[in-house]
Amino acid sequence: MPNRINYQQQMEGVLRALDEAGQRPRLLLHACCAPCSSATLERLAAHFDLTILYYNPNIYPPEEYRRREAELERFVRDAGYRFPVVELPYDPQAFYAAVQGLEQEPEKGARCTVCYRLRLEQTARYAAQNGFAWFCTTLSISPLKDPVRINALGQELGAQYGVRFLPSEFRKKDGYKRSLQLSAEYGLYRQDYCGCVFSKQARGL
């Protein structure tokens, strides 16, 4: 079996090349929540002109969706970042339509792949429509997410929409640990389920 691609190493190569060329391109970062964004922004802020995109129609219930968005805005402000946060319309029906027939799938199963694609495709589309050179997602910082599927989808959608996808596995090099530290430092709300109603039910919440 071949070794899995080292996405962290690939990202570091991209960042070195940009720094050596004196470039700071525009990157659209899909963000799922404040804790996952914390260490991700810390790694990317010096290399890109960032805009943060909050597009998460999977999150249930609406109160949870709004709480996560507000906490993301608060973290960006309190951490001193001046990057804009763009919130796209909350349309949970888009998520339910996409995962129809996959409701009984376990976490990390086929339903999650469809959810990754839904959010990454909207990010790639928005990036293409608004002149971004790159796009990326915070999702790869979570130990509960599959970086192989995330990066494969990102590359595929980047090619489809003509925007470069930044490979990543933000949880590496203590990225997830750093997100815990920053969450404690800023008093961030850390949710106890991924986001959708199915993950909430699976945790017995």
Side-chain angles (χ1 to χ4, degrees):
M1 176 181 285
N3 292 331
R4 181 163 73 78
I5 296 170
N6 189 324
Y7 300 109
Q8 170 69 22
Q9 194 174 69
Q10 285 192 344
M11 182 182 74
E12 289 174 352
V14 170
L15 300 184
R16 278 196 305 272
L18 291 176
D19 291 347
E20 290 168 2
Q23 296 178 353
R24 186 183 167 86
R26 295 178 71 213
L27 181 143
L28 183 66
L29 177 66
H30 166 261
C32 55
C33 62
C36 288
S37 301
S38 60
T40 302
L41 287 169
E42 195 172 65
R43 287 194 179 176
L44 298 180
H47 306 282
F48 293 99
D49 179 7
L50 290 165
T51 294
I52 301 160
L53 183 73
Y54 187 75
Y55 175 69
N56 300 290
N58 57 305
I59 296 177
Y60 171 89
E63 294 78 14
E64 179 73 14
Y65 170 88
R66 289 191 288 271
R67 183 176 185 182
R68 295 189 193 191
E69 196 281 331
E71 195 72 339
L72 174 63
E73 294 258 16
R74 181 179 73 82
F75 169 74
V76 170
R77 181 181 65 251
D78 290 356
Y81 294 117
R82 297 189 179 277
F83 305 128
V85 178
V86 175
E87 180 188 3
L88 295 185
Y90 177 50
D91 181 13
Q93 287 308 313
F95 169 72
Y96 293 124
V99 302
Q100 187 173 8
L102 301 171
E103 292 87 352
Q104 302 306 315
E105 281 283 309
E107 282 197 68
K108 294 190 177 182
R111 186 182 65 243
C112 292
T113 304
V114 172
C115 185
Y116 299 159
R117 175 182 285 278
L118 178 66
R119 292 184 282 172
L120 282 169
E121 182 160 16
Q122 185 63 265
T123 306
R125 183 184 295 115
Y126 188 95
Q129 292 172 344
N130 291 276
F132 288 88
W134 294 81
F135 76 105
C136 190
T137 179
T138 62
L139 291 171
S140 70
I141 201 168
S142 170
L144 301 177
K145 302 295 187 293
D146 183 350
V148 175
R149 279 182 283 172
I150 290 167
N151 280 276
L153 286 167
Q155 295 289 352
E156 174 192 331
L157 293 165
Q160 179 180 336
Y161 286 91
V163 183
R164 298 185 70 179
F165 178 75
L166 180 69
S168 70
E169 191 166 353
F170 289 114
R171 68 191 183 198
K172 284 197 167 183
K173 293 202 169 178
D174 288 331
Y176 179 68
K177 180 180 177 182
R178 180 60 178 155
S179 76
L180 296 177
Q181 293 169 342
L182 288 167
S183 293
E185 180 180 342
Y186 287 93
L188 298 180
Y189 162 62
R190 293 188 65 85
Q191 56 275 7
D192 49 12
Y193 65 103
C194 176
C196 75
V197 64
F198 310 110
S199 65
K200 184 176 174 70
Q201 291 169 347
R203 301 287 173 92
L205 301 172

